[in-house]
């Protein structure tokens, strides 16, 4: 939602600009940014922020998503805890595995990871195939509207969507205008 609102705002004054998108994970996009292969990146926390100008576009809570079979025993109208999910096969994006594991171990729980992967979209695809419950940021949920889901009660599990550029770089006029547009909408 916020991403496309920002792009529409940018396009109002820069209709001639054509976008070249490179779809990858946060770490590969940061590497491309460092190597000056791209000027801007839209990435998710956590990441090392040193040397970056960062605009936080949105903060997402986490949700558990899967086929209905995994949620029959859980209330539909309230958040669930990781303890509620402890006995279920969990599907997690590798970058959040440690944080989820530590949160569960602090509650003396032992996570049952059926899949650890490198992309939240992969987590959603596995969940849609009925292979377990994906733990993902809520903004990923529209990718699989057929899934059931519950918000996670653990407030420590969040992820921010950020637009970043290298600090001190001299980007193109269009990249500067794009960053300024988002700064005007979402900057603090």
């Amino acid at each position: 939602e916020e991403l496309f609102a920002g792009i529409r705002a940018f396009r109002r004054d820069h209709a001639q600009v054509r976008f070249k998108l490179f779809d990858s994970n946060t770490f590969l996009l940061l590497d491309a940014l460092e190597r000056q292969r791209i000027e801007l990146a839209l990435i998710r926390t956590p990441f090392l922020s040193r040397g970056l100008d960062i605009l936080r576009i949105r903060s997402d809570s986490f949700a558990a998503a899967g086929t209905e079979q995994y949620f029959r025993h859980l209330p539909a109208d309230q958040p669930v805890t990781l303890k509620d999910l402890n006995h279920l096969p969990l599907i997690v994006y590798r970058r959040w595995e440690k944080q989820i594991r530590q949160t569960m171990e602090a509650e003396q729980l032992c996570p049952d990871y059926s899949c650890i992967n490198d992309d939240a979209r992969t987590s959603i695809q596995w969940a849609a195939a009925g292979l377990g419950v994906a733990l993902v940021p809520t903004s990923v949920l529209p990718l699989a509207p057929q899934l059931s889901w519950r918000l996670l009660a653990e407030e420590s599990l969040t992820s921010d969507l950020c637009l970043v550029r290298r600090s001190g770089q001299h980007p193109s006029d269009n990249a500067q205008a794009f960053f300024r547009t988002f700064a005007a909408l979402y900057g603090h």
Side-chain angles (χ1 to χ4, degrees):
E1 304 161 1
E2 292 87 353
L3 171 63
F4 292 113
I7 293 171
R8 283 190 295 275
F10 174 77
R11 296 285 296 191
R12 278 194 290 274
D13 295 327
H14 302 87
Q16 79 288 357
V17 173
R18 300 296 175 249
F19 291 84
K20 291 183 182 179
L21 302 180
F22 298 90
D23 193 9
S24 193
N25 69 40
T26 291
F27 302 106
L28 293 175
L29 289 171
L30 286 172
D31 182 63
L33 198 62
E34 179 65 29
R35 295 174 188 267
Q36 298 182 19
R37 292 183 182 146
I38 60 175
E39 295 181 282
L40 303 170
L42 189 66
I43 59 177
R44 282 200 166 279
T45 60
F47 57 86
L48 293 175
S49 59
R50 186 177 59 239
L52 296 174
D53 295 330
I54 301 168
L55 286 173
R56 294 193 194 291
I57 296 173
R58 72 176 285 159
S59 184
D60 285 323
S61 299
F62 268 63
T67 54
E68 184 57 35
Q69 68 187 8
Y70 293 110
F71 296 105
R72 286 189 184 118
H73 69 287
L74 298 170
D77 58 347
Q78 58 189 355
V80 298
T81 66
L82 288 174
K83 185 175 184 178
D84 296 327
L85 306 174
N86 188 47
H87 62 285
L88 299 177
L90 301 178
I91 303 165
V92 298
Y93 182 4
R94 187 177 324 279
R95 63 194 306 206
W96 293 306
E97 183 269 335
K98 180 179 178 183
Q99 186 178 6
I100 291 166
R101 181 177 39 78
Q102 289 173 339
T103 302
M104 291 184 83
E105 287 174 353
E107 295 288 322
Q108 298 180 340
L109 304 171
C110 184
D112 175 15
Y113 293 129
S114 68
C115 177
I116 299 172
N117 61 74
D118 292 319
D119 192 289
R121 293 166 297 191
T122 301
S123 294
I124 286 291
Q125 289 170 337
W126 275 59
L131 299 171
V133 174
L135 303 181
V136 294
T138 54
S139 63
V140 176
L141 296 173
L143 297 177
Q146 75 278 20
L147 292 179
S148 296
W149 59 274
R150 305 291 189 278
L151 282 177
L152 287 182
E154 285 80 5
E155 293 178 5
S156 62
L157 293 176
T158 62
S159 180
D160 295 337
L161 183 64
C162 301
L163 180 65
V164 299
R165 65 181 178 194
R166 288 179 51 230
S167 296
Q169 90 177 61
H170 300 289
S172 67
D173 291 344
N174 289 332
Q176 286 183 52
F178 190 83
F179 199 86
R180 278 194 309 270
T181 299
F182 275 78
L185 291 171
Y186 305 110
H188 303 289

